[in-house]
Amino acid sequence: MMDYPEKRKQTSSVLSLTPQAVSIHKEILMLLKSLEEGSFSSCLDEEFVSTLKEVHRLFDIFQKEVLNNTEFKCCCRETCATCCFHWVEDVNSFEAEIIAGYIHTAMPGEVKRIIETCRSDCLELERLNDLVQKRLLESGDDREQIDEIDLLLSVYYQMKRPCPLLDRSNRCSIYAVRPFTCRIYINLSNPSCCDPECINDSGMNTYLLDFEEDANQILDRLHFKYMKFEGDTGLRSLIPRYLEKM
């Protein structure tokens, strides 16, 4: 599997943190440390999952607190789903396994469809990668000046292939356990700016409202601790692999 890392913006690099936001982040950090230091046999252990759920809850509050003290307002709304055309990368191993467990338990009738759609999307990404590489070779451009990964993901986004985890109402079927890489992506301007046709528009005001670095370091260590498929952090590539093991 190809590994396409997302670029991440640390919250405090652009948005200042209020004392309340700092306090909330400290609570999150304590919970993440308890996950790292806990003796869990699996990331599917009830205590691990419930603690991560509390991290999700606090992270929602943290994001709102950060934005409430700025001029920016998040315009993301339920059923919009325009950003769900992205190739979702930078998914932690424990997140993918928990998502697969959620799918297996909550919607067993969808497992086959999700696996098949994910595999189809992976094949499409591979096809686009071959095409991008061919075009770059033919163009004669200085490839050192081109971010080939960004180019590939931009092309994939413009194919408008919806996430296999969207339901018929255009809602995220795994919203309660969606990965952090989905949670941090927000629009601070207008929903139309998220359209794939606008991805190269310099005026597109989307943002990754992420954890601070200390929390991300723990998440990285947890990822490697529970990793079962080395080098794979794609949502569409990981989910079938975990589902087939359940």
Side-chain angles (χ1 to χ4, degrees):
M1 291 292 176
M2 294 181 289
D3 184 14
Y4 300 111
E6 289 278 349
K7 290 185 173 65
R8 309 186 92 175
K9 295 180 183 177
Q10 191 173 330
T11 302
S12 58
S13 64
V14 178
L15 302 179
S16 60
L17 301 185
T18 64
Q20 180 64 15
V22 172
S23 177
I24 296 169
H25 196 274
K26 286 181 179 178
E27 289 186 64
I28 291 172
L29 200 59
M30 289 177 60
L31 289 172
L32 290 177
K33 287 179 179 178
S34 73
L35 288 177
E36 183 179 19
E37 296 168 359
S39 55
F40 304 104
S41 60
S42 164
C43 61
L44 296 179
D45 282 4
E46 184 177 348
E47 185 179 351
F48 188 102
V49 175
S50 63
T51 302
L52 185 62
K53 182 179 180 180
E54 178 63 9
V55 172
H56 290 158
R57 187 186 71 82
L58 288 173
F59 187 56
D60 287 345
I61 298 173
F62 170 74
Q63 288 183 312
K64 290 175 183 176
E65 174 64 22
V66 172
L67 289 177
N68 283 343
N69 289 275
T70 71
E71 61 184 285
F72 303 109
K73 298 297 178 185
C74 177
C75 65
C76 300
R77 296 291 182 270
E78 188 177 9
T79 74
C80 174
T82 307
C83 63
C84 299
F85 295 131
H86 279 291
W87 174 267
V88 180
E89 190 56 52
D90 205 18
V91 177
N92 292 302
S93 60
F94 58 91
E95 292 180 299
E97 188 164 4
I98 289 172
I99 290 169
Y102 182 88
I103 293 169
H104 187 265
T105 301
M107 40 184 168
E110 291 293 301
V111 169
K112 182 179 179 181
R113 178 194 65 79
I114 289 172
I115 289 177
E116 291 176 349
T117 306
C118 284
R119 284 178 171 167
S120 176
D121 287 348
C122 289
L123 288 174
E124 179 65 7
L125 185 72
E126 297 286 350
R127 184 188 74 81
L128 290 173
N129 184 55
D130 291 342
L131 181 61
V132 165
Q133 294 300 318
K134 180 180 178 181
R135 292 290 175 84
L136 288 174
L137 186 63
E138 292 174 347
S139 70
D141 292 335
D142 184 356
R143 297 182 67 165
E144 292 185 359
Q145 303 300 316
I146 298 174
D147 190 322
E148 297 179 17
I149 293 176
D150 275 357
L151 178 58
L152 173 60
L153 296 184
S154 172
V155 172
Y156 183 89
Y157 189 43
Q158 292 174 74
M159 297 299 291
K160 294 188 176 182
R161 295 174 73 95
C163 177
L165 302 180
L166 288 177
D167 64 20
R168 292 180 178 83
S169 301
N170 222 30
R171 289 180 170 84
C172 177
S173 62
I174 54 105
Y175 192 78
V177 293
R178 70 195 187 282
F180 287 117
T181 192
C182 292
R183 293 171 187 270
I184 67 175
Y185 187 87
I186 59 176
N187 187 317
L188 302 177
S189 53
N190 187 294
S192 64
C193 294
C194 283
D195 191 279
E197 295 178 1
C198 302
I199 193 170
N200 296 314
D201 185 351
S202 59
M204 187 177 78
N205 195 16
T206 56
Y207 189 81
L208 302 184
L209 207 173
D210 204 350
F211 291 104
E212 293 297 282
E213 186 58 29
D214 47 4
N216 275 323
Q217 288 176 358
I218 296 177
L219 288 173
D220 286 343
R221 292 195 293 269
L222 284 169
H223 164 72
F224 288 111
K225 182 177 181 178
Y226 292 101
M227 181 175 63
K228 293 182 179 178
F229 303 103
E230 185 175 356
D232 190 356
T233 59
L235 182 67
R236 288 170 169 88
S237 50
L238 278 173
I239 294 303
R241 302 175 83 171
Y242 279 108
L243 281 174
E244 289 175 338
K245 283 185 168 291
M246 292 183 171

